[in-house]
Amino acid sequence: MAHGVRPAIAGYTYDNYYDGLALSDTEGERMAKIPGDADVLFLGDHGVITAAPTVAQAFDDLYFVERAAQAQMPDSKVRYTAQYLVPQSMLLRVLKLTLR
């Protein structure tokens, strides 16, 4: 199993590996291999990717992930506590790449 990747459970998997900006095809290729049989891939520090045989099915999966998130955070005043902080060295690396 790849670094930072949790196995798929009930059609969902999670990738906690973050290496800054995806400036080459290798990052896309790496992420494409992760889901396996899962339909939903949660990207640590980034977002969600859905994959399905049709766009309608992928949208349906994404819609219900969004609705579940809204149900868990119904009040926008709820304070979010970060469980993981991106290291300062990574922040500086991304900053340098962004300001090119």
Side-chain angles (χ1 to χ4, degrees):
M1 178 126 325
H3 168 75
V5 176
R6 295 183 190 161
I9 299 173
Y12 299 87
T13 193
Y14 185 83
D15 176 23
N16 196 37
Y17 181 71
Y18 178 69
D19 195 31
L21 300 176
L23 299 175
S24 69
D25 292 342
T26 57
E27 179 64 2
E29 292 167 2
R30 183 189 74 78
M31 289 190 310
K33 293 176 185 175
I34 294 171
D37 292 334
D39 297 327
V40 179
L41 170 61
F42 288 91
L43 301 172
D45 302 314
H46 190 68
V48 178
I49 294 175
T50 59
T54 68
V55 172
Q57 289 171 300
F59 177 82
D60 193 58
D61 288 341
L62 186 59
Y63 173 81
F64 283 103
V65 166
E66 174 66 18
R67 294 296 294 154
Q70 289 174 357
Q72 292 177 15
M73 300 291 289
D75 185 354
S76 62
K77 295 178 184 173
V78 173
R79 184 169 177 256
Y80 172 75
T81 303
Q83 300 299 310
Y84 168 80
L85 296 176
V86 176
Q88 184 176 6
S89 59
M90 177 58 65
L91 294 174
L92 293 173
R93 180 174 169 218
V94 171
L95 179 64
K96 286 178 186 176
L97 292 171
T98 304
L99 297 177
R100 280 190 195 178

